[in-house]
Amino acid sequence: MSNTLTNNPSAASSIEKPFGSVGIKAVEQNIMMNQFPMDRISGSLLSSSGKTKGTNTTLSDKLYAWSTINTEHQELRRTALDLFTDKSVFQPSSTETKERQRVIVLNQLQYFLSKTFGKGLINISDLRNDPSKICALMDCASQFDDNSFMTKMVVNNFLFGAAVFNLGTEKHHRLLPDIQSGKLLGCFAMTELGHGSNVRSLETTATYIPETNEFVIQTPKRTATKWWIGNAGHAVMASVFARLIVNGEDQEVHCFLVPIRQPNGVDLMPGVRIGDCGPKFGMNGVDNGWIQFESVRIPYDNLYDKYGSIVNGVYQSPIANPSRRFANILAQMITGRISISYGCARTLKVALTIAVRYSNKRVQFGATPTAPETPIIEYPTHYTVLMPMIATVYAFDAIKSYLCKRFCERSDEGEIHVLASGLKATISHYVTTSILELRRLCGGHGYSSYSRFSSLIASNDVARTFEGDNTLLYQQVAKDLLIQFKKEYSSNKFTGTLKYLGKNTSLLLSEHTYTTYRSDKDHLLNLQFLRSCMEYRSSKLLIDSANTVSKAYKVSKDAFDSWNQSLETLIHLAKSHTEMMIVSKFIDSVKNVQDKETRETLKKLCQLYALKCIREDMEFFRNTNYLKKNKAKAISKLISSLCHDLSKQSLELVAGYGNEEALIESPLGQLDGDLYENICAKVGLFSKDNYPQHILDAKL
Amino acid sequence: MSNTLTNNPSAASSIEKPFGSVGIKAVEQNIMMNQFPMDRISGSLLSSSGKTKGTNTTLSDKLYAWSTINTEHQELRRTALDLFTDKSVFQPSSTETKERQRVIVLNQLQYFLSKTFGKGLINISDLRNDPSKICALMDCASQFDDNSFMTKMVVNNFLFGAAVFNLGTEKHHRLLPDIQSGKLLGCFAMTELGHGSNVRSLETTATYIPETNEFVIQTPKRTATKWWIGNAGHAVMASVFARLIVNGEDQEVHCFLVPIRQPNGVDLMPGVRIGDCGPKFGMNGVDNGWIQFESVRIPYDNLYDKYGSIVNGVYQSPIANPSRRFANILAQMITGRISISYGCARTLKVALTIAVRYSNKRVQFGATPTAPETPIIEYPTHYTVLMPMIATVYAFDAIKSYLCKRFCERSDEGEIHVLASGLKATISHYVTTSILELRRLCGGHGYSSYSRFSSLIASNDVARTFEGDNTLLYQQVAKDLLIQFKKEYSSNKFTGTLKYLGKNTSLLLSEHTYTTYRSDKDHLLNLQFLRSCMEYRSSKLLIDSANTVSKAYKVSKDAFDSWNQSLETLIHLAKSHTEMMIVSKFIDSVKNVQDKETRETLKKLCQLYALKCIREDMEFFRNTNYLKKNKAKAISKLISSLCHDLSKQSLELVAGYGNEEALIESPLGQLDGDLYENICAKVGLFSKDNYPQHILDAKL
């Protein structure tokens, strides 16, 4: 290590650059770089396409008001939506070339930040002070185009910036104003080529040099190359995760502030190599790149020292246990997971609005070849797919409001971690697979990029992977539940997340259940019955999981192995617990709604969602005898009839999502106008040109 | 109509162009247009990357040989694969701009056709003479890039060309040599803006003009605009579906040969407007466009007159009933459905090979932070997803071989139609949703376009819609089954597709079933037991469907309405029947395998596939009491252990798919070399450049 160090001229030159001055220079230079032409600014200031929400007259308005409880923040929302509808800056770019998209999105980012964070409408410190503002912002930002803008903003402010805020101390926090206003662009360099999920085994090193009180950041081998780093094309600074080596001892992964570009924002710092990771399934407006470090020296102060520091050449940490220390460092990513849930749920709201409006306008087939044709939403093959999705998104709203409230209260860290992880996995997966089905339901017209389904599928898909792979998040949920279970089982006094367990002990101890044979509508729609089904399942799976893991351990005597052998049950537990929480909080929320019409509508949606969850896991409910044959049959019949009833309200229900009309941007989903005229206009059929000549003239 | 006609100068001018001369001119001019530079041709002649298949030494070779029964055609396969591996013409282009992709793909098409169809290796007439050649070609073509090339070829030869061949007569068939060799490019103009599924209600008109013995092709209204027409950017001729109007009488939809471009292949014919439909989710190398006709005159001979003609000014048809006549016209599309099944199945073989190889090389997490990490395929969360997919694709191979054989024999049109429709829907849906999960299993690296998952998801997705929307195809399956059921029920002598019904009558008449309580491995893996489960389900659902529809009819007295009310049951029937056929033919095929190792391996895959199908519909099997609780539980356990066993053979099993190694084209799926070195090479990490300057220099 020290060998490469001394032999490296570029490294030597970088020694002369103390952190402070680079930071400040970067900021100053960036201010000059990012001047905006006045006309752009005034153009936007004059625009005012934002509609005022919250005038609760129609059912849709009331549903929207309910769905945004705890994340109202009217001024922030209106400002953000006004900016997104200003086409002079926020033109959708997902069908442009990758290179052009990136320039457009960079410009959108810096412009947006200067108008919001820059004006103090929201701050990085809201990560602690008022996370509900971040949720509100995600809810708005995810309506625009393909989420490239939103993702780049999250990377800069809530990953790079969050590391500075959460892992750093006083001396680092002075950078926050320039980060959040977009003057200082940064990236979050955690993932490596060889390690995405197992980040505790990252290989990049930060070796402490007592002589100069510096660290040397090094990419020791190819697999240690930082990979998929968002904002790598534009960032001046990076929050780099690396193994801290002090006196030859590995103190495990810590985070460091590393200048990667010269203040001019273009030239790289000595010893830094950066390249593009290339085209992606979606979000090509985000510049994901790879980064390598060759003996890059940074001053001691660039260590974010909240969870670890070096005093008189000796490593110190407020948390002795390395696992717990690293867990604490990672725990800071929780806001990211919560905001993903908000972003994904909103994306499905946009996609569903497009699909439902199309299905109401598109007619196909009639009783006879000459008879008037039927709107496709009237076919069971359509409404039995659409309506459960609509209900599910309302269910997500209920639990998101609850999670956001609890998170702001910071009352029960454990519950919040379990819920945030489970929801991120559940929502991101559901949204991606659902939009793929919406594309199918809209047939050929849905396959056009103009429909937006393609970019929404592609951009959401990665949410199943980043900020914690879904499979791992479910394992964290299961692990936390089992730990709490073990702690509380002996006393049989279950608290917090496991409160519901008590009630079910009787059921669980006996093989056969005490549930009623009733299969009448009243019983099946009874909210208490639906809650019980969900609670029984989680309880049963929690105990099964505990048994499965311990049985496996008795045989293998290997904790890692016995855990892996039990994964199927553990994942089932995590999913079930998350669904139980959603149903449970949806029920609580519905009961508290004052307005009768709103309450009755939400109740139906809640019933449909819960019954859908039960039916999807009928194998469990039947094999545990919790549901008898006739009851099971009655449930599937009931789901169909609920879907049929609700389908008559489909347009009102998606209007209740309160999408910004101007941001729908799909000829299939326009509220007004003739469907086919909108499609024709989009492909330029009304222009007098014939087939684009360049296609025919183009030569290889 | 006649008014627009006489007032239209452009129309007048087109009268002078008799079909024959335009056709011939088009051909001659195209020959000149499409000359290939000698170096390109010789370059390809010298290339020989194709490996010789069929030397059955390893298990993989034997599996491959089994999977290609009935579609061997070694010379055709080798020639095609050699061409696809010639990078001078077949460079993957799915990440290029839409416009560039289209030029590249056009060039690939004409080059490929000149080397295959042009040399008589395969002919459009094989649609009738030997469809297995078409299956073999699809199996090879779908390995290359994103299916843009394959789709454009299918459109030109097997849609435009098939219409000429199947709907036309002698006088039209003389065009076939130039069509199949790529000298005469054509498109298949069926779908319209307003009608994709309900094609019997197409609105484009072809009005017969006795005075000049011509037809006037007209787009009477916006919704009649031909839409999504593949090859619209390059086609000189179109097979246009339009309502034939004779003496003011609507004789319903017929097909016509309409010159849409001048013989130079660029300028449009008078009265024709063509435009691009714009960017799509996938396959942007295919030029899908819209076409409008304004009083376009064509000579009488341009009517494909196999199913309808005009004699002495009077319409005549060999099939009096219009519905039956149109059904016959559409029936010609069946080869398209069969080839989609081949194309999609092969695509999943490529995707699975990439995912399985990656999962064997990628390691993540170990027993301790310092312990060696585990290949991700060893986690149940991975192999319980991967192995059933591997088994399913082998199951698809079994049924495809059967279908292809029956199709070549043309023995039972009814059975073939039911099977081809059900399989197209089942396979296309399974493949699209599966590749999306493979992307997820490969995490961030799977999200890179270089992994190929993104383009494979996007290009396969549309297969669920085109050549018959899946939901409609399932309805056709259900309809055909019900018709046959009605016919044969009285006699209780079930034949052909319904043969199995006889056995099950006893079961079906009684509410409780006679199945055994056995839940031991031997019983559950017994092929006869597995077959019985599948057959029982289809039988039960067939009778349920008949009852559901007739009950609904008794109430509504409306056939259209009662059918739609029963859609959920009907679709369930169609899916179940298709799965029953797959399991049944897989079992038959396994039993006939001579080689023990091959037979045992295929048997395990067959068992896994069948058990997976049963588990996915456990709600049905439990609610009908066909499977008891303990049996159901045993089945899910058994599936996990089968997946675990087979996972040890994962690399061999995907090798058995016999993908052309050189066409895998994914750094995640290379057979040899270091995973990470392959990825780094792909993103250009080994080149000395830093972050692409153009990204930073680019201005808005």
Side-chain angles (χ1 to χ4, degrees):
Chain A
M1 188 66 64
S2 61
N3 203 354
T4 36
L5 193 62
T6 45
N7 301 346
N8 186 304
S10 68
S13 68
S14 68
I15 300 173
E16 305 319 307
K17 299 192 173 59
F19 151 70
S21 64
V22 170
I24 299 308
K25 270 213 211 92
V27 174
E28 289 159 351
Q29 296 266 353
N30 269 285
I31 297 168
M32 296 170 60
M33 280 176 64
N34 306 329
Q35 295 285 354
F36 296 101
M38 274 316 290
D39 59 322
R40 167 93 48 70
I41 293 171
S42 56
S44 147
L45 289 175
L46 294 172
S47 86
S48 62
S49 62
K51 68 180 173 202
T52 328
K53 289 274 166 53
T55 53
N56 301 357
T57 50
T58 70
L59 173 62
S60 304
D61 290 334
K62 289 181 282 189
L63 288 171
Y64 175 74
W66 171 83
S67 71
T68 50
I69 294 168
N70 305 333
T71 60
E72 294 88 355
H73 299 297
Q74 289 306 333
E75 188 188 359
L76 173 62
R77 285 177 178 268
R78 195 158 46 251
T79 307
L81 291 171
D82 283 352
L83 288 166
F84 297 137
T85 46
D86 169 8
K87 288 268 176 304
S88 71
V89 182
F90 285 88
Q91 63 272 52
S93 63
S94 57
T95 55
E96 303 268 359
T97 66
K98 174 162 73 67
E99 288 64 32
R100 187 163 158 70
Q101 279 181 65
R102 293 177 175 192
V103 182
I104 294 171
V105 173
L106 171 62
N107 189 66
Q108 291 168 344
L109 173 69
Q110 295 185 306
Y111 184 64
F112 182 85
L113 294 183
S114 72
K115 296 288 172 195
T116 51
F117 285 85
K119 298 258 189 293
L121 269 173
I122 176 173
N123 295 288
I124 290 175
S125 55
D126 286 321
L127 282 164
R128 191 166 303 136
N129 304 343
D130 187 357
S132 70
K133 275 192 175 177
I134 296 160
C135 298
L137 178 55
M138 295 298 288
D139 191 37
C140 297
S142 51
Q143 294 183 50
F144 171 67
D145 202 18
D146 72 346
N147 295 349
S148 286
F149 160 79
M150 179 181 76
T151 303
K152 199 171 167 80
M153 175 182 70
V154 167
V155 166
N156 190 78
N157 289 28
F158 299 127
L159 289 177
F160 168 66
V164 174
F165 180 70
N166 291 322
L167 307 179
T169 51
E170 216 64 35
K171 61 191 172 192
H172 306 106
H173 291 170
R174 58 189 168 109
L175 280 178
L176 291 173
D178 290 332
I179 294 170
Q180 69 175 25
S181 64
K183 291 173 184 166
L184 173 56
L185 294 177
C187 59
F188 186 77
M190 179 185 255
T191 303
E192 293 175 356
L193 181 58
H195 290 94
S197 295
N198 184 10
V199 281
R200 198 177 166 188
S201 299
L202 292 173
E203 299 175 297
T204 302
T205 54
T207 307
Y208 180 61
I209 312 295
E211 298 71 19
T212 57
N213 195 33
E214 291 180 308
F215 298 103
V216 175
I217 308 296
Q218 182 72 22
T219 303
K221 53 200 286 205
R222 181 183 292 146
T223 49
T225 306
K226 292 296 176 182
W227 210 265
W228 284 132
I229 308 309
N231 226 2
H234 305 129
V236 169
M237 303 263 181
S239 290
V240 176
F241 288 79
R243 313 196 74 79
L244 171 59
I245 312 293
V246 183
N247 309 325
E249 215 177 302
D250 184 339
Q251 298 296 349
E252 299 213 5
V253 175
H254 287 65
C255 192
F256 304 80
L257 180 73
V258 182
I260 55 175
R261 284 196 172 82
Q262 305 286 357
N264 66 18
V266 175
D267 306 320
L268 296 172
M269 294 297 282
V272 175
R273 284 189 72 210
I274 302 181
D276 188 0
C277 284
K280 305 182 292 288
F281 188 11
M283 295 204 286
N284 282 296
V286 180
D287 46 319
N288 291 95
W290 54 266
I291 308 178
Q292 290 181 328
F293 304 96
E294 172 62 26
S295 309
V296 174
R297 290 198 171 210
I298 55 169
Y300 173 81
D301 280 346
N302 288 29
L303 163 66
Y304 297 136
D305 52 356
K306 184 171 178 187
Y307 293 105
S309 54
I310 300 170
V311 180
N312 308 327
V314 180
Y315 176 77
Q316 292 187 343
S317 170
I319 306 172
N321 179 314
S323 321
R324 287 210 20 258
R325 186 190 312 139
F326 192 59
N328 260 274
I329 292 174
L330 289 187
Q332 309 308 330
M333 290 177 72
I334 193 158
T335 322
R337 288 175 195 168
I338 296 174
S339 45
I340 287 176
S341 294
Y342 270 85
C344 290
R346 173 55 70 180
T347 308
L348 184 50
K349 288 178 176 181
V350 171
L352 264 169
T353 304
I354 294 167
V356 164
R357 287 175 176 177
Y358 177 78
S359 304
N360 275 273
K361 287 180 176 181
R362 173 78 167 182
V363 297
Q364 208 73 185
F365 292 105
T368 69
T370 52
E373 295 182 282
T374 311
I376 57 179
I377 194 161
E378 293 181 19
Y379 294 103
T381 39
H382 258 70
Y383 66 68
T384 56
V385 179
L386 288 173
M387 303 321 295
M389 284 189 199
I390 290 178
T392 301
V393 180
Y394 275 104
F396 290 162
D397 283 336
I399 191 70
K400 289 199 300 13
S401 297
Y402 173 80
L403 175 60
C404 185
K405 182 165 161 295
R406 300 286 286 166
F407 191 49
C408 294
E409 297 163 357
R410 298 218 173 253
S411 41
D412 179 341
E413 296 280 351
E415 180 201 15
I416 292 163
H417 179 255
V418 166
L419 200 48
S421 304
L423 278 182
K424 183 271 191 183
T426 299
I427 295 179
S428 62
H429 184 75
Y430 183 80
V431 168
T432 303
T433 51
S434 296
I435 303 176
L436 189 69
E437 289 318 286
L438 293 178
R439 196 302 296 164
R440 179 182 62 80
L441 288 183
C442 294
H445 292 310
Y447 196 67
S448 164
S449 299
Y450 297 135
S451 75
R452 281 189 72 189
F453 292 125
S454 51
S455 63
L456 296 182
I457 293 163
S459 59
N460 269 269
D461 179 34
V462 74
R464 303 192 295 170
T465 296
F466 63 21
E467 300 274 316
D469 177 88
N470 286 359
T471 308
L472 290 166
L473 292 183
Y474 279 133
Q475 290 185 56
Q476 287 183 23
V477 171
K479 194 176 165 201
D480 288 6
L481 291 176
L482 282 172
I483 290 170
Q484 194 184 343
F485 178 70
K486 201 173 167 191
K487 235 179 19 218
E488 302 180 351
Y489 189 63
S490 49
S491 69
N492 199 6
K493 278 202 186 58
F494 295 106
T495 64
T497 318
L498 298 191
K499 249 197 257 74
Y500 65 91
L501 261 177
K503 307 183 223 163
N504 291 283
T505 330
S506 55
L507 275 183
L508 298 162
L509 297 177
S510 67
E511 243 310 294
H512 54 83
T513 68
Y514 298 117
T515 174
T516 155
Y517 278 72
R518 282 181 63 186
S519 63
D520 56 287
K521 224 171 144 181
D522 290 354
H523 171 66
L524 297 178
L525 293 177
N526 180 292
L527 297 179
Q528 190 43 53
F529 162 72
L530 297 171
R531 192 199 295 266
S532 305
C533 290
M534 296 286 107
E535 289 184 344
Y536 169 76
R537 182 175 57 157
S538 326
S539 310
K540 179 88 171 67
L541 288 170
L542 187 50
I543 290 169
D544 289 354
S545 301
N547 293 333
T548 312
V549 175
S550 59
K551 268 192 203 130
Y553 186 77
K554 283 199 185 72
V555 179
S556 69
K557 294 269 173 279
D558 175 338
F560 181 68
D561 185 59
S562 49
W563 178 266
N564 291 337
Q565 279 182 45
S566 317
L567 278 178
E568 281 179 283
T569 314
L570 294 166
I571 302 290
H572 193 186
L573 163 65
K575 288 180 177 174
S576 304
H577 174 80
T578 307
E579 279 184 350
M580 181 273 292
M581 289 297 289
I582 298 174
V583 168
S584 192
K585 298 310 166 189
F586 198 177
I587 291 174
D588 295 345
S589 169
V590 167
K591 287 180 168 170
N592 294 329
V593 174
Q594 295 309 311
D595 179 75
K596 186 166 182 301
E597 184 189 22
T598 315
R599 188 174 61 251
E600 289 310 312
T601 307
L602 287 169
K603 190 177 171 189
K604 264 194 208 156
L605 293 164
C606 181
Q607 290 160 330
L608 176 56
Y609 174 71
L611 289 168
K612 163 194 159 274
C613 292
I614 293 167
R615 189 185 185 183
E616 282 172 348
D617 204 3
M618 201 52 94
E619 180 182 11
F620 171 89
F621 289 104
R622 290 286 288 115
N623 290 348
T624 50
N625 259 334
Y626 192 82
L627 294 181
K628 300 287 184 294
K629 177 179 144 192
N630 294 334
K631 204 163 183 169
K633 286 183 179 174
I635 285 175
S636 55
K637 277 210 189 63
L638 187 51
I639 289 174
S640 308
S641 70
L642 271 173
C643 288
H644 184 259
D645 296 351
L646 285 164
S647 68
K648 298 179 172 51
Q649 283 179 283
S650 62
L651 289 169
E652 259 178 303
L653 292 174
V654 294
Y657 293 149
N659 295 310
E660 185 74 4
E661 232 15 84
L663 296 178
I664 294 287
E665 288 280 0
S666 168
L668 277 58
Q670 298 311 309
L671 189 56
D672 314 312
D674 173 68
L675 169 65
Y676 298 114
E677 183 170 357
N678 292 338
I679 294 174
C680 290
K682 197 76 182 176
V683 303
L685 182 139
F686 300 125
S687 79
K688 280 267 153 283
D689 319 342
N690 282 331
Y691 206 91
Q693 274 306 311
H694 58 267
I695 292 179
L696 304 160
D697 303 342
K699 291 278 157 282
L700 277 170
Chain B
M1 190 63 64
S2 60
N3 203 356
T4 37
L5 192 61
T6 46
N7 302 350
N8 185 302
S10 68
S13 66
S14 70
I15 301 175
E16 306 317 308
K17 300 193 172 58
F19 150 70
S21 64
V22 170
I24 299 308
K25 271 212 212 93
V27 175
E28 290 159 351
Q29 296 267 351
N30 269 284
I31 299 169
M32 298 169 60
M33 279 177 61
N34 305 330
Q35 297 282 355
F36 297 103
M38 274 316 290
D39 59 326
R40 167 91 49 67
I41 291 173
S42 57
S44 146
L45 289 175
L46 295 173
S47 84
S48 62
S49 60
K51 69 180 172 198
T52 330
K53 290 275 166 53
T55 54
N56 301 358
T57 50
T58 69
L59 173 62
S60 304
D61 290 334
K62 289 182 280 188
L63 288 170
Y64 175 73
W66 171 84
S67 72
T68 51
I69 293 167
N70 304 333
T71 61
E72 295 88 355
H73 300 296
Q74 290 304 333
E75 189 189 358
L76 173 62
R77 284 177 179 269
R78 195 157 45 250
T79 308
L81 292 171
D82 283 351
L83 288 166
F84 296 137
T85 46
D86 169 9
K87 289 269 179 299
S88 72
V89 182
F90 285 88
Q91 64 272 52
S93 63
S94 56
T95 54
E96 303 268 358
T97 66
K98 174 162 71 72
E99 287 63 32
R100 186 161 161 72
Q101 279 181 65
R102 293 177 175 192
V103 182
I104 293 171
V105 173
L106 171 63
N107 189 64
Q108 290 168 344
L109 174 69
Q110 295 185 307
Y111 184 65
F112 183 86
L113 294 182
S114 71
K115 297 287 174 197
T116 51
F117 286 85
K119 299 257 188 291
L121 269 173
I122 176 173
N123 295 286
I124 291 175
S125 57
D126 286 320
L127 283 164
R128 191 167 303 135
N129 304 341
D130 188 357
S132 71
K133 277 192 173 176
I134 297 160
C135 299
L137 178 56
M138 295 297 289
D139 191 36
C140 297
S142 50
Q143 294 183 51
F144 171 67
D145 201 20
D146 72 345
N147 295 347
S148 287
F149 160 79
M150 178 181 78
T151 303
K152 199 172 167 81
M153 175 182 71
V154 166
V155 166
N156 190 75
N157 288 28
F158 299 128
L159 289 176
F160 168 65
V164 173
F165 180 70
N166 290 322
L167 307 178
T169 51
E170 216 65 33
K171 60 190 171 190
H172 308 106
H173 292 169
R174 59 190 169 107
L175 280 178
L176 292 172
D178 291 332
I179 294 170
Q180 69 175 23
S181 64
K183 291 173 185 166
L184 173 56
L185 295 176
C187 59
F188 185 77
M190 179 184 257
T191 303
E192 292 175 357
L193 181 58
H195 289 93
S197 295
N198 184 11
V199 282
R200 197 178 167 188
S201 298
L202 292 174
E203 298 175 298
T204 302
T205 55
T207 308
Y208 181 62
I209 312 294
E211 298 71 19
T212 57
N213 195 34
E214 293 179 306
F215 297 102
V216 175
I217 308 296
Q218 182 73 23
T219 302
K221 53 200 286 203
R222 182 183 293 144
T223 50
T225 306
K226 292 296 177 182
W227 210 266
W228 285 130
I229 308 309
N231 227 0
H234 304 128
V236 168
M237 303 263 180
S239 290
V240 177
F241 288 78
R243 314 196 74 80
L244 171 58
I245 312 293
V246 183
N247 308 326
E249 215 176 303
D250 185 339
Q251 298 296 348
E252 299 213 5
V253 175
H254 288 64
C255 191
F256 304 80
L257 180 74
V258 183
I260 55 174
R261 283 197 172 81
Q262 303 287 355
N264 64 16
V266 175
D267 307 318
L268 296 171
M269 295 296 282
V272 175
R273 284 188 72 208
I274 303 180
D276 187 359
C277 284
K280 304 182 293 287
F281 188 11
M283 293 204 285
N284 282 296
V286 180
D287 46 319
N288 292 94
W290 54 266
I291 308 178
Q292 290 182 329
F293 303 97
E294 172 63 26
S295 309
V296 174
R297 289 197 171 208
I298 54 169
Y300 173 80
D301 281 345
N302 288 29
L303 163 67
Y304 298 134
D305 54 355
K306 186 172 178 188
Y307 294 105
S309 55
I310 300 170
V311 180
N312 307 329
V314 181
Y315 176 76
Q316 292 187 345
S317 170
I319 306 171
N321 179 312
S323 320
R324 288 216 14 261
R325 185 190 314 140
F326 192 59
N328 259 275
I329 292 175
L330 291 187
Q332 309 308 330
M333 290 179 71
I334 193 158
T335 322
R337 289 174 196 167
I338 295 174
S339 43
I340 287 175
S341 295
Y342 270 84
C344 290
R346 172 56 69 181
T347 309
L348 184 51
K349 288 177 176 180
V350 172
L352 265 169
T353 303
I354 294 167
V356 165
R357 288 176 175 176
Y358 176 79
S359 305
N360 275 273
K361 289 180 174 181
R362 173 79 167 181
V363 298
Q364 207 74 185
F365 292 105
T368 67
T370 54
E373 296 183 282
T374 311
I376 57 178
I377 194 161
E378 292 180 20
Y379 294 103
T381 39
H382 257 71
Y383 65 68
T384 57
V385 179
L386 287 172
M387 302 322 293
M389 283 188 198
I390 290 178
T392 301
V393 179
Y394 275 104
F396 290 161
D397 283 336
I399 192 69
K400 287 196 303 21
S401 298
Y402 174 80
L403 175 59
C404 185
K405 182 165 160 297
R406 299 286 285 166
F407 191 49
C408 294
E409 297 164 357
R410 297 217 173 254
S411 40
D412 181 340
E413 298 279 350
E415 181 200 15
I416 293 164
H417 179 253
V418 167
L419 201 49
S421 304
L423 279 181
K424 182 271 188 182
T426 299
I427 295 179
S428 62
H429 184 75
Y430 184 80
V431 168
T432 303
T433 50
S434 297
I435 303 177
L436 189 69
E437 288 318 286
L438 293 178
R439 194 304 295 164
R440 178 181 62 78
L441 288 183
C442 294
H445 291 310
Y447 196 67
S448 163
S449 300
Y450 297 135
S451 74
R452 278 189 75 189
F453 292 125
S454 52
S455 63
L456 296 181
I457 292 163
S459 59
N460 268 268
D461 179 35
V462 74
R464 304 192 292 170
T465 297
F466 63 23
E467 298 276 314
D469 176 89
N470 286 358
T471 310
L472 289 166
L473 291 182
Y474 279 133
Q475 290 185 57
Q476 286 182 25
V477 171
K479 194 176 163 201
D480 288 6
L481 291 175
L482 282 172
I483 289 169
Q484 195 185 341
F485 178 69
K486 201 173 167 192
K487 231 174 29 211
E488 302 179 350
Y489 190 63
S490 49
S491 69
N492 199 7
K493 279 202 185 60
F494 295 107
T495 65
T497 319
L498 298 190
K499 250 197 256 73
Y500 65 91
L501 259 179
K503 306 184 224 163
N504 292 284
T505 329
S506 54
L507 276 183
L508 299 162
L509 297 178
S510 68
E511 243 310 295
H512 55 82
T513 69
Y514 298 118
T515 175
T516 154
Y517 278 74
R518 284 181 60 185
S519 63
D520 57 285
K521 223 170 146 182
D522 290 353
H523 171 66
L524 298 178
L525 292 176
N526 180 293
L527 297 179
Q528 191 43 52
F529 162 72
L530 297 171
R531 193 200 294 265
S532 305
C533 290
M534 295 287 109
E535 290 184 343
Y536 169 75
R537 182 175 56 156
S538 327
S539 311
K540 179 86 169 72
L541 288 169
L542 187 50
I543 291 169
D544 289 353
S545 301
N547 293 334
T548 312
V549 175
S550 58
K551 268 192 206 130
Y553 186 75
K554 282 200 188 71
V555 180
S556 71
K557 295 269 172 279
D558 175 337
F560 181 67
D561 184 61
S562 51
W563 179 266
N564 292 336
Q565 280 181 43
S566 318
L567 277 178
E568 282 179 282
T569 314
L570 294 165
I571 302 290
H572 193 186
L573 164 65
K575 289 179 175 173
S576 304
H577 175 81
T578 307
E579 280 183 351
M580 181 273 292
M581 289 296 289
I582 297 173
V583 169
S584 191
K585 299 308 166 188
F586 198 178
I587 291 174
D588 294 346
S589 170
V590 167
K591 287 180 168 170
N592 295 329
V593 175
Q594 295 307 311
D595 178 75
K596 186 166 181 304
E597 185 190 22
T598 315
R599 189 175 60 250
E600 290 309 312
T601 309
L602 287 169
K603 190 176 171 188
K604 262 194 210 158
L605 293 164
C606 180
Q607 291 160 329
L608 175 55
Y609 173 71
L611 289 167
K612 165 195 157 270
C613 293
I614 293 167
R615 189 184 185 183
E616 283 172 347
D617 205 4
M618 202 49 97
E619 180 182 12
F620 171 90
F621 288 104
R622 290 287 287 114
N623 291 348
T624 51
N625 259 332
Y626 191 83
L627 294 180
K628 300 285 183 294
K629 177 179 143 191
N630 295 333
K631 204 164 186 169
K633 286 182 177 174
I635 284 175
S636 55
K637 277 210 188 62
L638 187 52
I639 289 174
S640 307
S641 70
L642 271 173
C643 288
H644 184 258
D645 296 350
L646 284 164
S647 68
K648 299 179 170 53
Q649 282 179 285
S650 62
L651 289 169
E652 260 179 302
L653 293 173
V654 294
Y657 292 150
N659 295 310
E660 185 73 4
E661 227 25 76
L663 295 179
I664 295 287
E665 289 280 357
S666 168
L668 278 58
Q670 298 311 308
L671 189 55
D672 314 312
D674 172 69
L675 169 65
Y676 298 115
E677 182 171 359
N678 293 336
I679 294 175
C680 291
K682 197 74 182 179
V683 303
L685 183 140
F686 300 126
S687 79
K688 281 268 152 284
D689 319 342
N690 282 331
Y691 206 91
Q693 276 306 312
H694 57 270
I695 292 178
L696 304 161
D697 304 341
K699 292 275 157 287
L700 277 172

